[in-house]
Amino acid sequence: MRQLLLITDGCSNVGMSPVVAAAHAKAEGITVNVIGVVERGESISSAEVEIEEIARAGGGMSRLVNTHQLSQTVQMMTRKTVVTTIQQAVNKELRQVFGAESVEALPPDRRGEVVRVIDELGESSPLKIALLIDTSASMRPKLAAVEEAIRDLVLSLQSRSGRSEIAVFHFPDSENGEGCVCDLDWTDNIAGVKRILPRLAMRGTTPTGPAMMQVIDFFRQGDYGRTIRGEMDGMTGEDVV
Amino acid sequence: MKTSSELRLAPGTVITGKWNRGRYRVERLLGEGANGKVYLVEHSRRLYAMKVGGDAVDLQSEINVLRSLASRRRRTEPFLLAVDDYVHRDGKEYPFYIMRYVRGSVLHEYLQREGADWFPLVGYNLLGKLAELHEAGFVFGDLKRENVLVGSYGRVELVDYGGATAIGKSVRQFTELYDRGYWNAGSRTAEGTYDLFSFAVLCLHLFEGRRLLQLTKTLLPQNRSPADLIRLTTGHPALKPFAGWLARALGGEFASAREGAAAWQRIMYGGGVKPARRRRSTAGWAAGLFACTMIALAAAIVWMISEGMLPTGLS
């Protein structure tokens, strides 16, 4: 299972459309979730539409939250997406075995066993989550909360029985402002990492689309030489929640 | 994401199950859990609680827990009574289940109304419930004030099993304030010690709520620690006898909820608990008068018995 979680607070303004990039991700079997972080009194209504569209194209969900809700939202989205991904794969099986379209279509007394399987797979399937963090100027006061949410997510992932890894990226990269930088390569433990995100002043551009494409590429590099591809394909449903 | 928040059932609405055709009349909303809303319903002239969810998979996970609990304690009154789907006018389907209606108030309201004298007993009963759950192979997960109902004479019932998790798995649902991960005090793996930590925070929340919430506002995430919580255990007279117990629970030192309950019980009957001072103490002369009345009454009864004036059933 592969997820890309974008945390941002504004519209993209450089390069490829992030909606297109999200569609690319989905085609690669990566679910894209988006969290828009707003502070009290702050309005990002222009970005709201884009955030929703990115999530829709990426087969995931979107939420607007303030910094206090960030940790909980990251947790909730990750868990929900895991269940949905498994559910889509299971629904495929259900069509073949029971002729039922989904879990909901089964009579209640037959759901129990199916849901037990969903819960078990959700707990034990390997999971990779790439977090892509917008660190443009307006995000700077929110980065401490983002970092806390990342640590909190890792804590939760550590109690899963399946292998769970995260990677962290930020954008724009300070050099040319058109891509992202990898802050943390795939890992399941960040106890020794003092600071994940840089606290430097960033340039004003927001190249969300190009940054997402780089992360998708990073996922692909991670897959080279691995044989689990076929296994993962079963997990990538075509239905969107 | 689908949520149940869209569905509101007005009192008087009659719901018919899609599969089993059971009819349930909505009386009122009882509360809202993580996976759905709970209503008081009437069915064949009896009252039940009905949980209506937005997501069939989430609700079914909860039902699975309730089922496996039921299979372990056959002799008690069944908690889960029916599972079905409700088809709304707009064609959307909402899964629901019917459970026993537990009369009672949420924990903090009960203690406010009935007094802190009840706290040690209610705490002990709650620990017993947790121990029972752990011995069935589950951890409650989302223990908080709202999820504990107290009925007559301090009887305790856990409600909302949305966070209940098989031991060894990752806790499905939790509330930050009660979560040991939030306080940098351990993992989110479902273990007995996880619930006991939440139980200890729950006790603090009941009597030191303001100072507890103050901690969440002032401490930086990396600085939160169980030591900050332990400092809150000695301030309030209701908590003080249990300070040592709470420190052990916050430190994850009890091997099981059963062991924790036994230790709690020893404190409860060990003379460490002083009764809370009565708000309206009975004046001395009134107590004296009352004693005189009782003596007079007893004398009258003795006289009546000796004269054979009482009905045979009473003498």
Side-chain angles (χ1 to χ4, degrees):
Chain A
M1 288 183 290
R2 307 192 294 179
Q3 302 181 12
L4 193 168
L5 174 59
L6 171 65
I7 300 179
T8 182
D9 70 347
C11 272
S12 64
N13 53 20
V14 179
M16 173 189 218
S17 153
V19 180
V20 177
H24 272 277
K26 196 183 169 219
E28 288 287 323
I30 303 163
T31 307
V32 182
N33 291 321
V34 192
I35 298 179
V37 197
V38 281
E39 282 301 0
R40 219 152 287 174
E42 190 185 15
S43 163
I44 59 161
S45 50
S46 54
E48 209 176 319
V49 180
E50 187 181 275
I51 285 169
E52 264 173 42
E53 275 182 26
I54 297 170
R56 209 170 299 145
M61 54 189 124
S62 63
R63 278 280 189 285
L64 279 188
V65 300
N66 62 44
T67 48
H68 298 291
Q69 302 162 295
L70 196 57
S71 292
Q72 268 177 309
T73 310
V74 170
Q75 298 266 354
M76 182 276 291
M77 277 191 170
T78 305
R79 189 173 271 274
K80 198 80 195 155
T81 305
V82 164
V83 173
T84 307
T85 309
I86 303 277
Q87 215 176 322
Q88 284 161 356
V90 168
N91 284 352
K92 240 186 226 177
E93 294 292 312
L94 284 178
R95 270 191 284 271
Q96 288 166 4
V97 181
F98 296 105
E101 278 304 302
S102 62
V103 180
E104 290 88 343
L106 287 172
D109 53 334
R110 295 173 78 175
R111 278 177 209 161
E113 202 44 50
V114 177
V115 169
R116 221 184 306 277
V117 171
I118 291 176
D119 280 346
E120 182 54 42
L121 286 174
E123 178 74 24
S124 59
S125 302
L127 173 63
K128 275 188 164 186
I129 304 170
L131 294 115
L132 179 58
I133 317 297
D134 176 353
T135 52
S136 57
S138 59
M139 275 294 288
R140 246 198 305 164
K142 303 164 190 169
L143 288 183
V146 172
E147 194 149 330
E148 190 201 340
I150 295 173
R151 289 183 190 278
D152 197 62
L153 175 66
V154 171
L155 184 70
S156 275
L157 292 178
Q158 281 169 346
S159 46
R160 288 181 83 242
S161 53
R163 184 169 173 75
S164 320
E165 292 171 291
I166 67 155
V168 181
F169 304 82
H170 76 263
F171 69 100
D173 53 20
S174 40
E175 282 167 26
N176 51 27
E178 290 213 352
C180 67
V181 180
C182 179
D183 299 301
L184 206 61
D185 202 342
W186 296 117
T187 179
D188 57 4
N189 189 355
I190 55 167
V193 184
K194 276 235 169 78
R195 180 170 286 186
I196 305 165
L197 297 164
R199 300 285 154 85
L200 299 166
M202 300 295 159
R203 299 192 179 189
T205 57
T206 311
T208 315
M212 286 173 69
M213 288 306 281
Q214 283 186 17
V215 176
I216 296 168
D217 205 43
F218 190 82
F219 266 109
R220 282 224 298 273
Q221 285 165 20
D223 286 342
Y224 287 152
R226 293 208 187 177
T227 49
I228 55 158
R229 266 303 281 171
E231 205 179 292
M232 296 304 296
D233 280 343
M235 293 293 173
T236 59
E238 62 269 48
D239 305 309
V240 184
V241 176
Chain B
M1 203 180 89
K2 289 172 280 182
T3 52
S4 60
S5 54
E6 313 130 31
L7 182 72
R8 275 177 213 290
L9 297 171
T13 312
V14 175
I15 289 197
T16 307
K18 175 186 168 185
W19 305 88
N20 301 320
R21 313 307 300 171
R23 285 165 60 86
Y24 307 93
R25 208 176 74 95
V26 175
E27 299 289 324
R28 62 186 165 92
L29 183 71
L30 287 173
E32 200 158 349
N35 296 332
K37 291 194 171 85
V38 180
Y39 294 90
L40 179 67
V41 295
E42 182 261 352
H43 169 72
S44 321
R45 293 194 195 148
R46 288 192 62 179
L47 291 174
Y48 298 95
M50 175 178 77
K51 184 159 190 179
V52 190
D55 186 289
V57 174
D58 284 344
L59 201 71
Q60 186 63 48
S61 303
E62 208 176 302
I63 294 167
N64 283 352
V65 175
L66 294 173
R67 281 249 156 85
S68 57
L69 284 179
S71 67
R72 274 161 211 268
R73 32 176 197 196
R74 279 177 210 283
R75 271 186 294 169
T76 54
E77 198 186 339
F79 188 74
L80 182 70
L81 293 131
V83 182
D84 215 321
D85 290 339
Y86 163 58
V87 186
H88 192 253
R89 278 195 305 271
D90 61 10
K92 269 193 206 149
E93 293 189 13
Y94 298 89
F96 71 84
Y97 66 82
I98 303 292
M99 56 192 151
R100 183 152 51 87
Y101 169 47
V102 181
R103 268 169 235 268
S105 354
V106 287
L107 182 52
H108 49 296
E109 285 170 12
Y110 183 88
L111 291 179
Q112 256 161 32
R113 199 182 57 231
E114 304 293 328
D117 276 358
W118 286 97
F119 167 68
L121 180 66
V122 168
Y124 177 65
N125 289 345
L126 178 53
L127 285 169
K129 282 279 165 196
L130 291 174
E132 203 179 298
L133 190 63
H134 295 175
E135 283 154 13
F138 293 92
V139 155
F140 190 70
D142 201 5
L143 185 64
K144 53 181 171 185
R145 301 189 306 183
E146 300 86 328
N147 287 349
V148 181
L149 280 191
V150 190
S152 45
Y153 305 113
R155 284 214 328 238
V156 167
E157 205 64 64
L158 287 166
V159 288
D160 194 353
Y161 282 76
T165 310
I167 286 174
K169 302 285 162 88
S170 53
V171 174
R172 300 166 64 90
Q173 260 163 33
F174 57 85
T175 302
E176 271 181 355
L177 182 64
Y178 296 88
D179 166 47
R180 70 176 177 190
Y182 176 84
W183 293 101
N184 297 314
S187 75
R188 292 201 177 115
T189 306
E191 301 160 337
T193 46
Y194 186 91
D195 275 348
L196 288 175
F197 184 93
S198 305
F199 176 91
V201 179
L202 174 69
C203 295
L204 298 179
H205 198 185
L206 290 171
F207 297 105
E208 292 284 8
R210 213 175 41 81
R211 287 172 71 196
L212 178 65
L213 295 178
Q214 196 58 34
L215 281 182
T216 67
K217 289 190 190 114
T218 50
L219 288 173
L220 286 171
Q222 62 270 26
N223 294 342
R224 285 182 211 123
S225 82
D228 297 303
L229 296 174
I230 289 170
R231 271 194 284 279
L232 298 185
T233 59
T234 49
H236 194 281
L239 291 178
K240 213 168 181 182
F242 296 98
W245 190 99
L246 292 169
R248 286 178 70 191
L250 292 168
E253 288 173 33
F254 290 114
S256 68
R258 195 61 76 190
E259 190 193 305
W264 185 277
Q265 193 181 28
R266 281 196 295 279
I267 301 167
M268 204 160 54
Y269 299 124
V273 185
K274 302 258 177 344
R277 197 180 299 161
R278 300 259 161 253
R279 263 182 230 139
R280 283 177 288 122
S281 66
T282 319
W285 64 266
L289 187 67
F290 180 72
C292 292
T293 316
M294 289 316 286
I295 291 166
L297 179 69
I301 291 171
V302 168
W303 176 77
M304 282 195 287
I305 291 170
S306 61
E307 295 295 311
M309 283 172 69
L310 278 183
T312 45
L314 276 175
S315 54

